[in-house]
C-alpha cells in the first residue's frame, strides 16, 4: 500500500442509511478500503436533514462502526454527498481578457474564470455548491477541453452551476460538525456516483447516471466527456415502500421487506399464482398478498421516475441516439428485479447496473460492491482527484529543492557533532551552563574584534585622506 497517499473518508448522509468509508489509493491507483461503517438514518427525508439530533446520532454510530472495523483509523475531515429536491442547476457563460497576452494561459487564469462564476446572481435563499466548466473558448477557437499552455487574449467557458438551499446546506454542516468532523467539501451525489461506476469510455460515449436512492433519484448526463445536465427527482425507494404500505395495508417494515425480497419492477415478470403470507396484527388472521399486485405497485412508481428521466433528457435535447453508453442504474433502488427491462422499455435506451468496483482494489468487502455504496466510494475518488490536482499545482508553481545536497550537509554535520540521542550521554546542568558562558564570551570577543577592526580602518582612511 502507498503509505504516502492520504486517507480520505466519504460520508453519505442518505434517507435510509448513513455510510462512512475510509480509503487510500495503492501504488497501482486502485482504492484500498481501510474502514467501513453504516447506520440507519432517521433524521433525513428526501435527502434533506430535518432532525439534526437524530442525524448526529446516526453519523456517530456510522463512525463508531467504521472505527470498529479498523481501530487505527483517525477521522477528522470528510467529503459529504448532498442531494434533495432543493438542488437546482443552471448554465452560464463567462469570459476574461488577459493583460499579459505574451504569456501562456495558466491555471491561474482558469481559477479566475471559475471564481468569477460564484458572483452569478441567484435567489437570495440559495447558495452555489459547485461550478463545473464544460467547454472553453480561446479567442475564436471553440470546444477546447484543456486551454492551459495555449496563447490567447480572451478566454471564456460555458459553466454548469449547481445551487442548493442555504438552510438545507447549513443543516448538513451543523450535523457533521456537531459529530466532531470537518467538511472538506460538499459533492453532488450523482457526480460522486458517476465517478464510482463510470470509466473514461462512458464519459465519451454519452451516458445518463440514474442513482435511485432512498429519498430521491439523482440524474447526471454526460456527453463527449462533458457534464451536460444534473437533476434531482423527488422520488426514490422510500416512496415505493410507502406505496406498498398504503396500497396493501401493511406495516412499513413489512412493506420494505416485501419490496426487497419479492419485489419486481416489471409486473409481467411476476407469477400470477404466487402469494406472500403476512402475519396479522393482534387477534387478526394472516394476510395473503399477491406478488403480481405487489409488482404492479412497484412498476407504477418506477415508471413515474423513468418518465422524469425522459423529461430531463428531452429538455437538453439528448435522445436515445446520443446516449451510446445507455443508462447506468445505481443506488439501492437499482437492485429491484427486472428494473433494466423496465428502463429499456420505458426510455428506449439500453440500460445496465453500475457497480462501484471499477476503481476498487482486490480484497475488499463484497458488500461494498453493491450499488448502494456508489456515492460513498465516489466521494473518496472525488477527494483523491482534488488531492492530485493540488499536488500537481504545487509541483508546477514551486521550485524543487536539491535534496541530495541537503542530505550531504546533514550527514557531514552529524558526523562531526557528537550523538546526543542517548540519555546516558546527555550533558549535565553545569556543563550546559559552562558551554553557554563560553558561547557568550566567544560572541563578545567576536564583537570586540569587529569593532577594533572598524576603528583601525576608520583611522587608516583619515590618514590616507590627509596624504
Amino acid at each position: 500500500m502507498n503509505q504516502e497517499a492520504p486517507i480520505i473518508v466519504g460520508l453519505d448522509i442518505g434517507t435510509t442509511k448513513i455510510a462512512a468509508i475510509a480509503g487510500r489509493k495503492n501504488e497501482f491507483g486502485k482504492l484500498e478500503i481501510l474502514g467501513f461503517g453504516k447506520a440507519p438514518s432517521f433524521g433525513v427525508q428526501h435527502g434533506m436533514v430535518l432532525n439534526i439530533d437524530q442525524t448526529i446520532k446516526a453519523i456517530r454510530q456510522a463512525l463508531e462502526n467504521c472505527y470498529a472495523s479498523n481501530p487505527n483509523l483517525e477521522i477528522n475531515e470528510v467529503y459529504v454527498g448532498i442531494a434533495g429536491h432543493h438542488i437546482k442547476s443552471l448554465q452560464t457563460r463567462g469570459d476574461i481578457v488577459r493583460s499579459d497576452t505574451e504569456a501562456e494561459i495558466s491555471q491561474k487564469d482558469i481559477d479566475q474564470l471559475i471564481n468569477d462564476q460564484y458572483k452569478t446572481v441567484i435567489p437570495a435563499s440559495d447558495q452555489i455548491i459547485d461550478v463545473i466548466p464544460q467547454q472553453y473558448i480561446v479567442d475564436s477557437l471553440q470546444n477546447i477541453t484543456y486551454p492551459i499552455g495555449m496563447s490567447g487574449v480572451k478566454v471564456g467557458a460555458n459553466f454548469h452551476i449547481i445551487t442548493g438551499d442555504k438552510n438545507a446546506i447549513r443543516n448538513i454542516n451543523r450535523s457533521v460538525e456537531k459529530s466532531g468532523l470537518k467538511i472538506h467539501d460538499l459533492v453532488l451525489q450523482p457526480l460522486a456516483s458517476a465517478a464510482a461506476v463510470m470509466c473514461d469510455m462512458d464519459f465519451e460515449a454519452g451516458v445518463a447516471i440514474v442513482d435511485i436512492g432512498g429519498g430521491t433519484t439523482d440524474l447526471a448526463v454526460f456527453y463527449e466527456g462533458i457534464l451536460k445536465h444534473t437533476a434531482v427527482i423527488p422520488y426514490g425507494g422510500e416512496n415505493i415502500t410507502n406505496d406498498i404500505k398504503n396500497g396493501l395495508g401493511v406495516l412499513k417494515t413489512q412493506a420494505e421487506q416485501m419490496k426487497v425480497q419479492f419485489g419486481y419492477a416489471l409486473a409481467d415478470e411476476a407469477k400470477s399464482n404466487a402469494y406472500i403470507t403476512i402475519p396479522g396484527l393482534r387477534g387478526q388472521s394472516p394476510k395473503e398478498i399477491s406478488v403480481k399486485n405487489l409488482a404492479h405497485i412497484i412498476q407504477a412508481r418506477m415508471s413515474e421516475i423513468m418518465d422524469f428521466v425522459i423529461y430531463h433528457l428531452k429538455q437538453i435535447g439528448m435522445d436515445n441516439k446520443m446516449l451510446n453508453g445507455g443508462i447506468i442504474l445505481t443506488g439501492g433502488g437499482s437492485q429491484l428485479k427486472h428494473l433494466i427491462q423496465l428502463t429499456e422499455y420505458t426510455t428506449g435506451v439500453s440500460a445496465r447496473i453500475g457497480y462501484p468496483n471499477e476503481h476498487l482494489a482486490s480484497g475488499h468487502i463484497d458488500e461494498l460492491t453493491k450499488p448502494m455504496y456508489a456515492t460513498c466510494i465516489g466521494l473518496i475518488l472525488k477527494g483523491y482527484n482534488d488531492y492530485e490536482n493540488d499536488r500537481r499545482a504545487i509541483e508546477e508553481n514551486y521550485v524543487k529543492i536539491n535534496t541530495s545536497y541537503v542530505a550531504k550537509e546533514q550527514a557531514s554535520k552529524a558526523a562531526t557533532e557528537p550523538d546526543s540521542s542517548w540519555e546516558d550521554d546527555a550533558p549535565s546542568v553545569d556543563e550546559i551552563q559552562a558551554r553557554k558562558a563560553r558561547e557568550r564570551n566567544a560572541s563578545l570577543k567576536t564583537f570586540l574584534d569587529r569593532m577594533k577592526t572598524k576603528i583601525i580602518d576608520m583611522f587608516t582612511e583619515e590618514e590616507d585622506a590627509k596624504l
Side-chain angles (χ1 to χ4, degrees), residues 82 86-88 122 125-129 162-169:
I82 185 169
H86 64 95
I87 299 293
K88 297 185 286 290
I122 58 174
S125 59
D126 289 348
Q127 175 182 330
I128 294 178
I129 298 173
I162 300 168
T163 67
D165 183 74
K166 285 183 179 179
N167 290 327
I169 296 171

Side-chain angles (χ1 to χ4, degrees), residues 136-168:
Y136 292 96
I137 301 98
V138 178
D139 292 340
S140 60
L141 300 176
Q142 298 187 4
N143 301 331
I144 298 171
T145 57
Y146 191 76
I148 294 176
M150 297 179 65
S151 297
V153 177
K154 186 177 180 181
V155 183
N158 297 322
F159 293 94
H160 185 80
I161 297 180
I162 300 168
T163 67
D165 183 74
K166 285 183 179 179
N167 290 327

Side-chain angles (χ1 to χ4, degrees), residues 242-348:
N242 289 330
D243 291 344
I244 297 170
K245 169 181 170 290
N246 297 327
L248 299 178
V250 296
L251 299 177
K252 190 173 182 178
T253 54
Q254 295 172 336
E256 179 68 24
Q257 191 174 1
M258 282 193 294
K259 180 185 74 174
V260 173
Q261 293 185 357
F262 306 103
Y264 287 86
L266 202 58
D268 291 342
E269 298 294 331
K271 295 180 180 180
S272 57
N273 59 350
Y275 291 88
I276 308 166
T277 302
I278 300 296
L281 298 177
R282 293 182 179 179
Q284 296 182 2
S285 59
K287 182 182 293 186
E288 285 193 348
I289 294 170
S290 170
V291 174
K292 195 84 168 178
N293 291 341
L294 174 66
H296 277 294
I297 294 173
I298 295 173
Q299 181 178 340
R301 180 64 73 175
M302 286 306 308
S303 297
E304 185 180 10
I305 292 173
M306 291 304 157
D307 287 340
F308 273 99
V309 173
I310 296 171
Y311 167 79
H312 284 286
L313 292 176
K314 288 182 178 179
Q315 286 288 102
I316 58 173
M318 297 285 290
D319 55 18
N320 53 5
K321 294 180 181 179
M322 299 179 71
L323 291 177
N324 295 322
I327 293 176
I328 300 178
L329 302 165
T330 190
S334 66
Q335 298 177 96
L336 279 169
K337 301 179 185 69
H338 301 290
L339 180 58
I340 293 176
Q341 291 90 323
L342 175 66
T343 303
E344 292 178 342
Y345 173 76
T346 307
T347 64

Side-chain angles (χ1 to χ4, degrees), residues 71-199:
N72 297 323
L73 277 177
E74 183 178 351
I75 300 174
N76 297 313
E77 286 188 344
V78 291
Y79 279 78
V80 180
I82 185 169
H85 59 265
H86 64 95
I87 299 293
K88 297 185 286 290
S89 63
L90 65 148
Q91 304 291 125
T92 63
R93 165 72 184 268
D95 300 280
I96 60 169
V97 178
R98 304 173 64 236
S99 56
D100 187 3
T101 57
E102 297 296 327
E104 298 177 349
I105 298 172
S106 65
Q107 185 62 47
K108 184 179 179 181
D109 298 319
I110 304 301
D111 291 340
Q112 179 185 346
L113 195 59
I114 294 173
N115 291 334
D116 288 346
Q117 302 311 305
Y118 282 92
K119 301 173 185 176
T120 302
V121 178
I122 58 174
S125 59
D126 289 348
Q127 175 182 330
I128 294 178
I129 298 173
D130 204 355
V131 175
I132 303 170
Q134 293 178 313
Q135 292 174 322
Y136 292 96
I137 301 98
V138 178
D139 292 340
S140 60
L141 300 176
Q142 298 187 4
N143 301 331
I144 298 171
T145 57
Y146 191 76
I148 294 176
M150 297 179 65
S151 297
V153 177
K154 186 177 180 181
V155 183
N158 297 322
F159 293 94
H160 185 80
I161 297 180
I162 300 168
T163 67
D165 183 74
K166 285 183 179 179
N167 290 327
I169 296 171
R170 195 174 291 121
N171 288 339
I172 291 177
N173 290 333
R174 285 175 180 168
S175 301
V176 176
E177 289 171 0
K178 288 185 178 181
S179 301
L181 299 172
K182 179 182 177 182
I183 295 179
H184 195 284
D185 195 11
L186 282 174
V187 182
L188 189 65
Q189 288 188 7
L191 299 184
S193 300
V197 302
M198 290 175 62
C199 62

Side-chain angles (χ1 to χ4, degrees), residues 12 34 46 97 136 151 272 332 337 340 351 384 410 417 419 429:
D12 180 14
L34 304 180
H46 300 292
V97 178
Y136 292 96
S151 297
S272 57
K337 301 179 185 69
I340 293 176
Y384 262 101
Q410 291 177 347
E417 292 182 355
D419 186 7
V429 177

